[in-house]
Amino acid sequence: MNIYSLTFVLIRITVATNYYWRSQGCRMNSTMNEECLCSGTSNGRSLAGSDNRIEDLKMMYENCTRVYGNVEITHLTKATLTNWNDIDFNRKFKIFEHIQEIKGYLLIYNVDIRSIDFPNLKIIWGDDLLDDSGALTLSSNMELKELRMPKLRAIHKGNVRIENSTFLCYLQSKVNWNELLEDEAENRLITSDSAFRQCDPKLIKCSGCKHCWSGKFKYCQEEYRSICDDRCSSRQCYKPTNSSSTYECCHEACTGGCNGRGAHQCVACKELSLDGACVHQCPPMMVHDTKKGMLVPNPQGRYMYDRYCVIECPIIVRMKLLVEELLVERDACVRHCSEGSHHDMTRESRRCEPCKDGICPKVCRVTKVLTGSILRNLTGCEEIDGFIDIQDSKMRSRDGYTLSDLNVLKSVRMISEYVQMATQTVSPRNLSFLENLEFIEGRSLVTSKFALAINKNDNLEQLGLRNLKKIKAGSVIITENHGLCYANTIKWKKIISTNAQALITRNMDGRCEERGRVCDETCDPAQGCWGRGPTMCTKCRYWQLNKSCVKKCPTEG
């Protein structure tokens, strides 16, 4: 497995009681109100991940009930799948067996597997869409014959796109897409000329039902919209167990239908879920006490997280490394503080607090790889709410930038997520544009693991991060920078957290000393340095004058 192998990310939530954290992956629990949430991935069609793609999928999705990101099944080709046959994938691994909801999108791309099962998937929300439009994308799957999702009720937002997948015949003629796309299949189902090329609809049959995902009865599609008559304003119905023919209407708070009467029987909630019942809002954390004439804590209060009312805002667990990802602002779990509020990354707190005297540090939100237009908006930023990701492809693009343009980042002291740079032949010689960076919080990490990832920068000679004091969560990887020295001298254990790692390898390594690339004589040899000269010492050996280490203090001045 390579150095970028995925690290499992999970959240365990108990809706009705409290939160339970596990560091060894999700384990299914007998209580119905306990769920295991996984983060998913956002790699798209790229080859990101390890060489063992099956193991990556198992670590990320096995035993998950809800994926609060995306499910991406990509590049499972015959060339990479050597130790198991096609039958093994569904019968042996059962990787997706417990998934009930996907918050983002489902992507299946370039796979040579004959069938993939999601036996309990009920809804794809589409809050995050592939290429800004795709909630379900099936592309370049020349061997895939069946995608079986018999309990899927709704694809809430986004389109279904099927292309270059010639054998998915049940999806062509036997799946009722209007049922899944809320009667908008004409606009939201997109198929290419290369889809279904090998299909003959006359040969595709269901057993005991009109619509299905595969031939057996257990793969019949669950329908709840097309069976309704006009009297149901929700356009959602269910069939009572004691009835042979009549249908009853689902509650209007439901999405994806229901299993019975009332707001507590919905498959999913249109707005919010509170202890299994659909509601319009969560109970507030503070309520007015008429006797005291003041606000007091509400023992029944809940925070709003995604579409759920929860007792506490979730914490992410990355193997044995706890990462407090979500912040708390008033009655909500948030990723970013609102205007006029601020989260102090250096404190052991997850709360967004009102800025002192109404004056906030200049915080700039960055959620995409750096481009020229993004950089032009970062003048004077003290904190980055997001990440700094520098890629050679963006530097060379139409909206590109030069190395000198990066100097706008010199005012940055804190970054909430991570720093990544992979610039190959256009790389800078150092990271002096981040010389004032003091703190990386690591609330989101590169491949769910790294808070600092400096890889494949051909011209890089020294890091120059002379003010970096702390990486709160996440590991460090600095590799394949063939001209880089000094990084091995840094005492990374003092900067990173206890359970994190620093992987410094395949740089210039043993050739640095022979080329004279060593720490200055005024640096403390036990502490290392960030680069050449007396201003790059981690700690001075003798004396410090301003920002430079010196042997002697001046006798005058």
Side-chain angles (χ1 to χ4, degrees), residues 3-7 9 40-43 48-49 60 318 369 386-391 416-422 440 442-455 473-477:
I3 51 181
Y4 268 101
S5 60
L6 290 173
T7 301
V9 183
T41 56
S42 298
N43 299 320
M60 184 60 70
R318 293 185 177 97
V369 177
F387 54 82
I388 294 296
D389 192 343
I390 304 169
Q391 302 288 337
S416 69
E417 296 184 8
Y418 60 81
V419 175
Q420 176 172 231
M421 186 173 78
I440 301 174
R443 284 201 284 125
S444 178
L445 303 174
V446 179
T447 62
S448 301
K449 189 170 185 179
F450 300 108
L452 179 63
I454 309 297
N455 307 307
S475 294
V476 171
I477 182 168

Side-chain angles (χ1 to χ4, degrees), residues 2-105:
N2 68 19
I3 51 181
Y4 268 101
S5 60
L6 290 173
T7 301
F8 186 79
V9 183
L10 67 93
I11 306 172
R12 174 151 291 218
I13 290 183
T14 303
V15 177
T17 55
N18 213 319
Y19 294 86
Y20 293 86
W21 321 115
R22 291 189 188 273
S23 60
Q24 300 300 326
C26 293
R27 299 175 186 174
M28 298 314 296
N29 192 284
S30 59
T31 58
M32 292 298 291
N33 59 355
E34 188 171 69
E35 298 183 349
C36 189
L37 276 68
C38 302
S39 67
T41 56
S42 298
N43 299 320
R45 300 174 183 85
S46 76
L47 284 164
S50 77
D51 296 332
N52 191 338
R53 307 192 75 80
I54 293 295
E55 192 62 28
D56 287 350
L57 290 171
K58 288 178 65 179
M59 291 177 69
M60 184 60 70
Y61 302 115
E62 195 168 45
N63 288 334
C64 293
T65 55
R66 283 198 283 136
V67 180
Y68 77 92
N70 312 307
V71 175
E72 298 174 324
I73 309 169
T74 63
H75 302 289
L76 295 179
T77 61
K78 292 177 180 178
T80 59
L81 307 177
T82 56
N83 297 322
W84 55 278
N85 58 46
D86 183 74
I87 295 175
D88 285 335
F89 188 79
N90 289 312
R91 292 187 180 178
K92 181 178 179 180
F93 293 111
K94 297 183 178 180
I95 296 172
F96 313 110
E97 181 178 16
H98 298 288
I99 294 177
Q100 298 176 22
E101 296 182 24
I102 298 173
K103 188 174 185 293
Y105 60 78

Side-chain angles (χ1 to χ4, degrees), residues 322-324 327 342-350 363 381-388 409-420 434-445 451-452 465-474 476 492 494-497 530:
L322 286 177
V323 181
E324 299 178 349
L327 304 176
H342 178 249
H343 167 239
D344 188 343
M345 301 181 201
T346 63
R347 293 176 56 195
E348 294 299 322
S349 169
R350 302 168 64 194
V363 179
C381 295
E382 299 172 63
E383 299 181 12
I384 298 295
D385 186 2
F387 54 82
I388 294 296
L409 300 173
K410 282 196 173 184
S411 58
V412 173
R413 296 186 302 107
M414 299 185 185
I415 295 174
S416 69
E417 296 184 8
Y418 60 81
V419 175
Q420 176 172 231
L434 289 175
E435 64 182 5
N436 292 308
L437 178 63
E438 300 173 11
F439 193 88
I440 301 174
E441 189 177 13
R443 284 201 284 125
S444 178
L445 303 174
L452 179 63
L465 300 172
R466 60 184 184 180
N467 283 301
L468 183 60
K469 301 294 190 297
K470 183 69 176 175
I471 297 176
K472 187 175 181 180
V476 171
W492 291 101
K494 294 185 177 182
I495 297 175
I496 60 180
S497 61
W530 292 101

Side-chain angles (χ1 to χ4, degrees), residues 300-328:
Q300 304 301 319
R302 301 292 176 90
Y303 294 103
M304 183 174 67
Y305 165 62
D306 191 26
R307 293 177 174 85
Y308 293 84
C309 301
V310 297
I311 294 175
E312 293 181 10
C313 292
I315 294 176
I316 284 185
V317 181
R318 293 185 177 97
M319 297 305 286
K320 295 183 180 180
L321 183 63
L322 286 177
V323 181
E324 299 178 349
E325 186 197 43
L326 292 178
L327 304 176
V328 180

Side-chain angles (χ1 to χ4, degrees), residues 192-409:
S192 69
D193 293 337
S194 58
F196 317 126
R197 187 177 294 168
Q198 303 294 328
C199 296
D200 183 352
K202 296 178 182 178
L203 302 178
I204 306 303
K205 301 183 184 299
C206 299
S207 297
C209 54
K210 184 178 180 181
H211 297 107
C212 62
W213 297 85
S214 185
K216 294 182 180 179
F217 178 74
K218 67 178 181 178
Y219 296 121
C220 285
Q221 182 179 359
E222 292 188 358
E223 298 184 72
Y224 66 98
R225 296 179 66 84
S226 57
I227 60 175
C228 283
D229 54 36
D230 294 337
R231 65 187 175 87
C232 291
S233 58
S234 68
R235 292 285 289 123
Q236 303 170 77
C237 298
Y238 73 98
K239 191 173 186 177
T241 54
N242 59 354
S243 173
S244 59
S245 58
T246 60
Y247 291 88
E248 293 192 16
C249 301
C250 294
H251 196 279
E252 290 192 5
C254 297
T255 284
C258 62
N259 300 310
R261 182 180 298 173
H264 63 290
Q265 292 289 341
C266 298
V267 169
C269 295
K270 189 178 295 183
E271 295 180 81
L272 294 163
S273 175
L274 172 63
D275 298 341
C278 295
V279 296
H280 293 296
Q281 61 184 28
C282 300
M285 299 302 294
M286 302 289 288
V287 292
H288 183 254
D289 187 317
T290 55
K291 185 176 181 179
K292 295 180 179 179
M294 60 186 290
L295 291 176
V296 297
N298 179 9
Q300 304 301 319
R302 301 292 176 90
Y303 294 103
M304 183 174 67
Y305 165 62
D306 191 26
R307 293 177 174 85
Y308 293 84
C309 301
V310 297
I311 294 175
E312 293 181 10
C313 292
I315 294 176
I316 284 185
V317 181
R318 293 185 177 97
M319 297 305 286
K320 295 183 180 180
L321 183 63
L322 286 177
V323 181
E324 299 178 349
E325 186 197 43
L326 292 178
L327 304 176
V328 180
E329 184 168 12
R330 298 180 184 175
D331 288 4
C333 307
V334 299
R335 297 188 184 280
H336 309 283
C337 297
S338 62
E339 190 172 342
S341 297
H342 178 249
H343 167 239
D344 188 343
M345 301 181 201
T346 63
R347 293 176 56 195
E348 294 299 322
S349 169
R350 302 168 64 194
R351 290 198 169 272
C352 297
E353 304 285 358
C355 297
K356 188 176 181 181
D357 299 325
I359 302 174
C360 297
K362 185 170 182 181
V363 179
C364 300
R365 188 173 300 174
V366 181
T367 58
K368 295 182 179 180
V369 177
L370 286 184
T371 61
S373 56
I374 292 175
L375 277 171
R376 286 189 287 275
N377 289 319
L378 300 183
T379 302
C381 295
E382 299 172 63
E383 299 181 12
I384 298 295
D385 186 2
F387 54 82
I388 294 296
D389 192 343
I390 304 169
Q391 302 288 337
D392 61 317
S393 60
K394 295 296 184 181
M395 293 180 71
R396 294 187 176 108
S397 69
R398 180 176 297 180
D399 189 15
Y401 53 93
T402 65
L403 295 177
S404 61
D405 292 331
L406 291 169
N407 287 328
V408 74
L409 300 173

Side-chain angles (χ1 to χ4, degrees), residues 71-180:
V71 175
E72 298 174 324
I73 309 169
T74 63
H75 302 289
L76 295 179
T77 61
K78 292 177 180 178
T80 59
L81 307 177
T82 56
N83 297 322
W84 55 278
N85 58 46
D86 183 74
I87 295 175
D88 285 335
F89 188 79
N90 289 312
R91 292 187 180 178
K92 181 178 179 180
F93 293 111
K94 297 183 178 180
I95 296 172
F96 313 110
E97 181 178 16
H98 298 288
I99 294 177
Q100 298 176 22
E101 296 182 24
I102 298 173
K103 188 174 185 293
Y105 60 78
L106 171 58
L107 167 65
I108 302 177
Y109 173 73
N110 190 27
V111 303
D112 288 342
I113 299 165
R114 290 180 179 272
S115 62
I116 297 176
D117 284 359
F118 284 85
N120 291 297
L121 179 62
K122 298 177 181 179
I123 189 164
I124 299 173
W125 288 105
D127 290 342
D128 185 20
L129 299 173
L130 182 68
D131 301 328
D132 297 322
S133 64
L136 171 61
T137 301
L138 310 173
S139 177
S140 301
N141 305 299
M142 305 310 292
E143 301 288 333
L144 184 62
K145 292 188 175 181
E146 293 184 0
L147 172 62
R148 301 186 289 235
M149 303 185 289
K151 292 187 178 180
L152 184 64
R153 295 294 196 96
I155 299 174
H156 191 60
K157 289 183 286 189
N159 298 330
V160 173
R161 180 178 291 274
I162 306 173
E163 55 192 8
N164 298 324
S165 300
T166 59
F167 289 104
L168 289 170
C169 303
Y170 280 94
L171 274 59
Q172 178 193 28
S173 58
K174 291 302 179 182
V175 170
N176 183 349
W177 289 105
N178 269 322
E179 189 80 16
L180 301 174

Side-chain angles (χ1 to χ4, degrees), residues 3 478-481 488 503-507 509:
I3 51 181
I478 302 172
T479 184
E480 295 188 61
N481 308 286
N488 273 321
L503 305 175
I504 318 296
T505 182
R506 297 166 69 183
N507 301 304
D509 301 335

